[in-house]
Amino acid sequence: MGVTDVTDVTTEPGAPWLIVGLGNPGPDYAMNRHNVGFMVADILAGRIGGKFKRAGRAQAQVIEGRIGPPGPLNRRVILAKPMSYMNLSGGPVTALRDFYKVPTANIVAVHDELDIDHGVLRLKLGGGDNGHNGLKSMTKAMGPDYHRVRFGIGRPPGRMQVADFVLKDFGSAERKELDYFVDRAADAAECLVIEGLERAQSTYNS
């Protein structure tokens, strides 16, 4: 089955979805810009009403649940936070994909994006990694044909190195609206899974 088919959420109603929040494990990284994927995953976990647990041999924390209204739009979803550190995300994601039998196009990576202004969202299927180590690892492991919810964090100021910028906590001005933006990114991931990429893009690509 081609990518076009599996991205139409009406073609495989029984196939699960895997939403992966990308980040680094541990409290030292919790509020880093690079960890916004974990933040979105935590919001989605609260909505599903579950708690993350270790996923067997896969180096990740997961929650299984369902999202969407009762009926044909209700989706089986696995939420995941890889515990391997960002640049090794591909291994845990591939292990979860294989264990839960998730089509690659039913995988949604939620991640920070330097080339988008803070809080702005862009959703897409496939494409390059734009230097993002988590995406680079995932693409190396399973190819590029998975969905992305890209959360803008903007470029570093002045001569600050990118690595320093992404591994710093959100600034005080950014934190004022961070909860709203993270919640909106969770809405976008849900919309993508329930209603498809085109609808999610028209609603959330701002």
Side-chain angles (χ1 to χ4, degrees):
M1 180 173 290
V3 169
T4 301
D5 294 325
V6 295
T7 57
D8 180 348
V9 295
T10 65
T11 57
E12 289 191 73
W17 285 76
L18 174 60
I19 302 177
V20 181
L22 294 181
N24 288 307
D28 290 345
Y29 300 99
M31 289 303 297
N32 286 182
R33 295 181 179 93
H34 223 19
N35 267 46
V36 72
F38 275 19
M39 298 175 196
V40 174
D42 287 339
I43 293 292
L44 291 169
R47 295 179 183 182
I48 288 176
K51 292 185 177 181
F52 282 102
K53 62 181 181 180
R54 201 76 179 190
R57 295 182 181 180
Q59 201 172 355
Q61 292 184 351
V62 300
I63 297 174
E64 298 179 57
R66 305 193 74 89
I67 61 174
L73 294 181
N74 191 259
R75 310 288 180 216
R76 180 184 171 211
V77 171
I78 299 97
L79 299 178
K81 296 193 293 187
M83 294 286 110
S84 58
Y85 290 95
M86 183 70 83
N87 62 350
L88 298 174
S89 300
V93 175
T94 302
L96 293 172
R97 177 198 66 177
D98 294 346
F99 179 79
Y100 289 104
K101 297 179 173 56
V102 179
T104 298
N106 279 27
I107 296 173
V108 182
V110 184
H111 64 92
D112 56 302
E113 179 63 58
L114 286 161
D115 287 335
I116 303 174
D117 290 340
H118 173 65
V120 174
L121 300 178
R122 293 283 188 274
L123 285 72
K124 69 174 186 174
L125 171 66
D129 57 56
N130 199 26
H132 191 287
N133 287 331
L135 298 183
K136 190 177 298 182
S137 179
M138 287 180 60
T139 297
K140 182 178 180 181
M142 60 186 184
D145 296 325
Y146 52 91
H147 287 85
R148 298 102 187 275
V149 175
R150 306 156 70 203
F151 185 107
I153 60 170
R155 302 293 302 186
R159 297 185 178 181
M160 183 184 290
Q161 296 296 309
V162 166
D164 293 333
F165 180 69
V166 300
L167 292 176
K168 285 187 180 298
D169 290 358
F170 284 99
S172 57
E174 294 168 323
R175 287 198 297 270
K176 290 179 181 178
E177 293 188 294
L178 184 60
D179 288 348
Y180 167 76
F181 289 140
V182 169
D183 198 67
R184 190 167 184 268
D187 292 344
E190 286 188 337
C191 183
L192 169 58
V193 168
I194 296 167
E195 300 187 67
L197 178 61
E198 186 175 348
R199 176 63 64 86
Q201 286 176 324
S202 67
T203 304
Y204 293 99
N205 277 17
S206 52

